[in-house]
Amino acid sequence: MSTHYRGRFAPSPTGPLHFGSLVSALASYLDAKKHHGDWIVRIEDVDGTRCKTLFSEQILNTLNSYQLFSDETVRVQSNHTETYEHYLSILKTQERVFPCNCTRQSLSKYQGFHPHQCNSTINEPHSWRLKASDIIYSYHDPIQGKLTFVEDLKNTCPILKRKDDYFSYQLAVVVDDHQQSITHLVRGADLIDTTAQQLHLYSLFGWNAPNLCHIPLITNNMGEKISKQNHAKPIINGDLPTLLRALYYLKIDLDAVTTISQALNLAIQSWEPNKLKGIQHLRLEEQDHYFI
Ligand SMILES: [Zn+2]
């Protein structure tokens, strides 16, 4: 693996960029630039039922308006389905996956988890699921501390390819990060839940996992993630006050800056993940409620 720092921001184009995504984009950008590394944008549109090209364009425009420019050509996942098929075939050969035609209804008694290998056949329309494992993964997160995943792989068998032929985020994200030689992931704490599955995939493919760092999730008053599902509003393009508020949630307070580039340069110097130590959630302050 390359020792040169390579980070990325990988939004899903299911809607325009909202405030929570801007905070995530900034954290990954600041960490990359603080380490004199590359920062790459990738469009995670592997779920063709929810993603739209229009939103990809809007997201990239918004990132550019905040002077968050990808250091390389933006990779678009939907152009790489053959690659994901190739890596799924490796897991099939290794007998690490199994066909599944369980329905949401049949899994409702397991709260939507799929805790065991089922007896579905390959002749029916089916998804491909990763077999459960007893392996316990653990790593040190610069913000969240030591994280150990004891039950995560025992209790669910995540889908890698869906019944409708779309690949899952889990497989695509691991393959992409490996192919793009990503060395550091800085992303929202909501993704801690699926980290063990990704570490397991890295291990099955014999790849080194990137360094992982999970920043606090920005939540509303109900403690829910600010997300497109919760109808977060699109942010205005190129708006300095919005940028300063996003930096505030990364514990960067800037006074007397007049331009976006000045703010970014100062923020790179001030970025210190230690200031967020142990925080998984940050509630959006009253004055920022116009973002949701
Ligand atoms: Zn099943």
Side-chain angles (χ1 to χ4, degrees):
M1 181 183 279
S2 161
T3 50
H4 177 67
Y5 186 116
R6 286 169 63 83
R8 51 78 165 168
F9 175 61
S12 290
T14 54
L17 205 75
H18 57 78
F19 186 72
S21 316
L22 178 64
V23 173
S24 288
L26 281 167
S28 62
Y29 175 86
L30 297 177
D31 203 61
K33 295 303 161 188
K34 181 115 189 181
H35 290 89
H36 309 287
D38 296 326
W39 183 74
I40 296 154
V41 177
R42 176 167 74 228
I43 295 293
E44 297 205 325
D45 62 344
V46 79
D47 182 351
T49 55
R50 292 173 61 229
C51 297
K52 294 195 165 56
T53 311
L54 170 72
F55 294 135
S56 303
E57 289 163 8
Q58 284 183 2
I59 288 170
L60 294 173
N61 279 340
T62 302
L63 290 173
N64 290 348
S65 78
Y66 283 93
Q67 299 185 26
L68 301 170
F69 301 114
S70 179
D71 288 318
E72 286 178 10
T73 309
V74 173
R75 178 175 168 120
V76 178
Q77 279 186 333
S78 54
N79 295 338
H80 295 273
T81 49
E82 283 172 19
T83 309
Y84 309 136
E85 194 67 65
H86 167 73
Y87 285 105
L88 179 65
S89 74
I90 292 176
L91 296 176
K92 287 180 194 171
T93 309
Q94 295 176 348
E95 298 185 4
R96 301 289 188 179
V97 290
F98 61 92
C100 164
N101 47 33
C102 297
T103 61
R104 196 164 290 185
Q105 201 180 5
S106 72
L107 293 175
S108 60
K109 58 179 174 242
Y110 306 113
Q111 289 80 44
F113 290 103
H114 191 295
H116 55 77
Q117 192 173 334
C118 57
N119 295 317
S120 300
T121 81
I122 204 165
N123 301 318
E124 305 278 342
H126 61 274
S127 58
W128 285 100
R129 286 184 184 267
L130 189 61
K131 287 184 182 173
S133 163
D134 287 335
I135 302 173
I136 295 172
Y137 289 93
S138 124
Y139 79 96
H140 181 82
D141 188 302
I143 291 178
Q144 307 301 338
K146 188 176 181 194
L147 296 178
T148 304
F149 304 97
V150 179
E151 296 288 334
D152 297 54
L153 296 171
K154 272 189 205 166
N155 292 331
T156 191
C157 299
I159 288 181
L160 300 188
K161 189 181 187 186
R162 299 180 350 191
K163 230 180 257 188
D164 61 8
D165 261 6
Y166 287 114
F167 285 92
S168 77
Y169 162 79
Q170 296 306 341
L171 180 65
V173 76
V174 166
V175 169
D176 285 344
D177 284 333
H178 173 72
Q179 287 210 325
Q180 294 193 288
S181 302
I182 299 299
T183 60
H184 290 73
L185 299 190
V186 179
R187 60 186 190 179
D190 52 327
L191 293 169
I192 292 174
D193 284 349
T194 54
T195 294
Q197 297 168 14
Q198 291 161 24
L199 293 175
H200 191 45
L201 285 172
Y202 276 102
S203 161
L204 294 179
F205 289 125
W207 300 335
N208 290 321
N211 294 291
L212 295 158
C213 176
H214 290 92
I215 62 161
L217 207 60
I218 312 295
T219 65
N220 61 21
N221 275 346
M222 315 281 281
E224 300 160 337
K225 178 188 177 183
I226 296 177
S227 67
K228 289 154 202 160
Q229 288 76 15
N230 289 330
H231 314 293
K233 290 180 194 157
I235 50 168
I236 314 170
N237 279 2
D239 181 50
L240 182 60
T242 297
L243 177 67
L244 296 180
R245 289 312 293 164
L247 291 170
Y248 168 84
Y249 288 91
L250 296 172
K251 306 285 184 201
I252 297 171
D253 267 314
L254 298 179
D255 303 316
V257 291
T258 53
T259 65
I260 284 175
S261 65
Q262 192 189 11
L264 284 181
N265 284 332
L266 288 171
I268 292 165
Q269 293 167 32
S270 308
W271 165 246
E272 184 46 73
N274 260 330
K275 291 183 190 164
L276 296 164
K277 200 122 200 152
I279 307 175
Q280 281 205 6
H281 299 96
L282 277 176
R283 190 159 289 197
L284 197 68
E285 294 188 5
E286 204 70 38
Q287 68 180 101
D288 297 320
H289 276 194
Y290 67 93
F291 289 125
I292 55 177

